[in-house]
Amino acid sequence: MTNSGVVFYAFFGLGWLLAGLGHFGGAVTGAAGTLGLAVAVALVLTARRQIARRADPADRDLSPEQRERFRRVNIAQWLMIALILGGCAIAGDFDLAMPLVAVAVGVHFLPLADVFGDRRLVVPGAALFVSGLVGVLAWVGHAATGTITTEVGLGCAVTLWATAVWSLLSVSRPAPAARPRR
């Protein structure tokens, strides 16, 4: 799943970047979008080159049970997001939506770590959660909407892109030797 994960991290990172900086409009959003797209494409092309050079043992097909668990985790995440957006709509306050969505996305990484048998996924999950929490705290402190969205969007974009790079680096290095059990 490493290489397919890179595609998700790359383009969801771009989405978070645009969501975080879109309020600037004009040249800032255009430059951010262009830079973000270049980063996403570079990550995807690197992942494709790795596929061509060698098979990644982590890119094995998921078992039917893993596929079902993956599906359930993602359905739960999208339901949480729908509830967050619905709650913000009812409250008439969308400033809290982006931070809470980041929290939900971060939380969804925790069961994914179990689904994929990759405990490293806890790290980006925690980072996304913290980025959302910082946005919630900024909202509580009555920060401007632009401040909240910029912090959350940039935090999530950097987290996802760093996770993509981490995934690519972990594939290109040989696995460390197992420690003997005592």
Side-chain angles (χ1 to χ4, degrees):
M1 285 301 294
T2 301
N3 289 313
S4 59
V6 168
V7 173
F8 283 101
Y9 303 143
F11 287 104
F12 275 104
L14 174 60
W16 278 104
L17 178 72
L18 292 174
L21 299 180
H23 64 92
F24 286 110
V28 172
T29 302
T34 302
L35 177 63
L37 183 59
V39 168
V41 169
L43 289 167
V44 170
L45 291 176
T46 302
R48 289 186 58 141
R49 277 194 300 274
Q50 281 192 348
I51 290 170
R53 278 199 318 260
R54 68 178 152 273
D56 174 10
D59 273 339
R60 71 194 187 298
D61 287 335
L62 294 177
S63 71
E65 177 194 354
Q66 284 175 302
R67 232 182 255 111
E68 178 58 24
R69 289 172 53 212
F70 177 76
R71 186 181 73 78
R72 280 185 272 152
V73 167
N74 281 294
I75 287 171
Q77 174 199 226
W78 288 107
L79 285 173
M80 283 193 298
I81 291 170
L83 289 171
I84 289 165
L85 296 177
C88 288
I90 290 168
D93 189 350
F94 280 99
D95 288 353
L96 195 52
M98 198 164 161
L100 291 178
V101 168
V103 167
V105 172
V107 167
H108 114 284
F109 270 76
L110 303 179
L112 288 180
D114 185 53
V115 169
F116 295 117
D118 186 355
R119 297 189 49 76
R120 294 175 310 150
L121 290 176
V122 170
V123 175
L128 292 165
F129 180 90
V130 167
S131 185
L133 184 60
V134 169
V136 168
L137 293 174
W139 177 83
V140 167
H142 305 288
T145 301
T147 300
I148 296 168
T149 58
T150 298
E151 181 283 321
V152 175
L154 286 178
C156 291
V158 169
T159 296
L160 292 171
W161 288 339
T163 304
V165 170
W166 189 16
S167 296
L168 292 168
L169 290 174
S170 69
V171 171
S172 58
R173 279 192 221 124
R179 288 183 168 174
R181 293 191 173 228
R182 295 177 200 198

